Amino acid sequence: MKTFKKISLFLLIIFYSTSYSQELETILLAKDDAQKLTKAYLNPSFKGLIFAMNNGWYHTAKVHKKFGFDISIGANFATIPNEEELFSIAELELSNNTITTNGATSSPTVAGSNSISPAQFQYSTQIEGQNVSANFTMPTGIKEDLPANTIPAPAIQVGFGLPFKLDLIIRYVPKVGSEDVKTDIFGLGIKKEITELLGPLDKTPLHISILAAYSNMGVNYEIGNVNNDVSTQNASANFSLNTYTIQAIASLNFPVLNVFGGIGYNGGSIRLNMLGNYTLNYNTSINGAPDVEESITDPFSIKTSSGSINATIGTRVSLGFFKLYGSYSLQEYNTINAGIAFSFR
């Protein structure tokens, strides 16, 4: 597949390999059912990105001194539950116009294995009084191409020490990419240390803080012609991810080895808009009759959200200004974070 698998992989990791042959765009032939099928296929990547992008905001509860700063370069990996590798066709409640032709009751999601045969469908309708139909096949999964069956996301950020025991944390990636695919990332977090409010604890290695953060990622993909079944004009796929997290965090800060953890809530939402003009080609029931075309504009808009209480435990090794850290978060999609940091003051 081309466009949607490019988008799927792009959502999973920036600039990931996109050489696939089967075309998910042909799902547009199912018209009203296309949105349900597309959402079911992509849903694990949507949810995984929400949890992955929300991770990695901290590796200590201790804030910088005023005008201190750190640069953290890390990656998050959201693990995909096994039950998310397939979706049930019956649960989608497709219209009577869309039926399976290979007897499948389920089909792989984007997180499924490419060794599992996907569902095949036939969509039938009437156009200008003629009975027409089109056949299409759902794409296979890309489990074997994912790193340990996880959904990765970058965690590159800068933290600045402010007055009043505050840290300002910024994530920023300008619009980058190729001629047909571009992405940008922006995130903002505030960490407030409250150790001194808890009496004598401020004389110990224990530090306690509250963290709140928000991030956004946008992806835009220009869609060219798909095949003889679907052609396009000024077509694009627009993806927007918004995430937020609220955490109570604590750390034990020793000269070399630090231990940190937190508990809180991660949430977010995703919107995928298919924009532009699409021409769909359908076969007629009359032998030798030409195909019938139908044009649609802005086929669908998918919006989904997810959230979960989470608990994190991690450790950090400090070698002067150089830090090496890692953590594990328990939540709906358990997440691993690892990275390095350069911290001053």
Side-chain angles (χ1 to χ4, degrees):
M1 73 186 98
K2 296 179 182 177
T3 302
F4 267 92
K5 279 228 172 161
K6 283 187 176 183
I7 293 171
S8 302
L9 288 170
F10 203 85
L11 300 183
L12 304 182
I13 185 170
I14 308 301
F15 304 127
Y16 201 78
S17 170
T18 57
S19 57
Y20 291 86
S21 58
Q22 198 174 9
E23 296 168 347
L24 185 53
E25 291 88 342
T26 55
I27 293 178
L28 294 175
L29 293 164
K31 293 186 180 177
D32 293 339
D33 290 327
Q35 179 169 324
K36 295 180 179 180
L37 289 165
T38 303
K39 184 177 181 179
Y41 177 76
L42 293 176
N43 196 50
S45 63
F46 289 164
K47 294 172 68 175
L49 267 178
I50 289 172
F51 292 110
M53 287 291 290
N54 264 325
N55 219 37
W57 279 100
Y58 65 91
H59 40 82
T60 180
K62 184 179 180 180
V63 297
H64 290 288
K65 296 178 181 179
K66 188 166 61 173
F67 305 128
F69 69 95
D70 72 90
I71 301 170
S72 299
I73 304 169
N76 302 316
F77 301 89
T79 59
I80 305 167
N82 292 335
E83 58 269 23
E84 300 279 7
E85 295 181 10
L86 295 171
F87 69 86
S88 168
I89 296 172
E91 291 179 2
L92 300 183
E93 298 182 346
L94 301 176
S95 70
N96 294 331
N97 299 74
T98 306
I99 61 172
T100 58
T101 57
N102 64 342
T105 59
S106 62
S107 192
T109 66
V110 66
S113 173
N114 60 22
S115 65
I116 300 175
S117 298
Q120 299 174 11
F121 290 94
Q122 182 179 76
Y123 178 81
S124 303
T125 188
Q126 278 196 343
I127 299 177
E128 298 178 354
Q130 295 190 69
N131 293 324
V132 298
S133 64
N135 295 304
F136 63 90
T137 302
M138 290 296 295
T140 59
I142 58 173
K143 177 179 180 178
E144 288 77 10
D145 298 296
L146 301 177
N149 197 28
T150 63
I151 298 178
I156 303 171
Q157 61 195 41
V158 178
F160 298 95
L162 300 177
F164 310 111
K165 292 284 187 176
L166 288 169
D167 270 0
L168 176 67
I169 307 167
I170 298 174
R171 291 179 174 179
Y172 178 69
V173 176
K175 188 166 287 188
V176 295
S178 62
E179 185 174 327
D180 55 356
V181 184
K182 295 187 183 298
T183 188
D184 59 272
I185 298 174
F186 175 77
L188 190 65
I190 291 288
K191 182 168 66 176
K192 167 63 176 175
E193 186 168 352
I194 60 172
T195 311
E196 62 184 11
L197 302 179
L198 303 176
L201 288 180
D202 64 345
K203 306 300 182 183
T204 72
L206 178 66
H207 295 265
I208 299 174
S209 294
I210 302 296
L211 171 77
Y214 164 84
S215 61
N216 169 267
M217 181 172 73
V219 179
N220 190 74
Y221 181 78
E222 301 297 327
I223 302 175
N225 285 335
V226 178
N227 57 20
N228 293 331
D229 293 321
V230 181
S231 57
T232 65
Q233 183 178 10
N234 299 322
S236 65
N238 179 266
F239 165 84
S240 179
L241 164 70
N242 294 285
T243 65
Y244 60 89
T245 183
I246 301 173
Q247 301 290 321
I249 59 180
S251 64
L252 286 169
N253 293 65
F254 299 107
V256 176
L257 183 65
N258 300 342
V259 179
F260 64 91
I263 187 168
Y265 187 85
N266 287 332
S269 63
I270 284 178
R271 183 181 291 275
L272 175 64
N273 297 319
M274 292 294 294
L275 307 174
N277 302 311
Y278 300 77
T279 300
L280 311 178
N281 294 310
Y282 294 92
N283 300 318
T284 66
S285 56
I286 303 173
N287 291 332
D291 292 346
V292 175
E293 293 185 349
E294 184 173 44
S295 297
I296 57 175
T297 300
D298 299 343
F300 59 73
S301 177
I302 296 174
K303 184 177 181 180
T304 187
S305 61
S306 189
S308 170
I309 294 173
N310 76 306
T312 298
I313 185 71
T315 187
R316 187 181 76 171
V317 176
S318 299
L319 303 173
F321 64 85
F322 178 74
K323 319 292 182 182
L324 181 67
Y325 61 88
S327 65
Y328 187 80
S329 296
L330 293 171
Q331 52 193 341
E332 184 178 351
Y333 277 36
N334 295 337
T335 310
I336 300 166
N337 168 256
I340 60 174
F342 304 91
S343 183
F344 303 91
R345 292 172 56 88

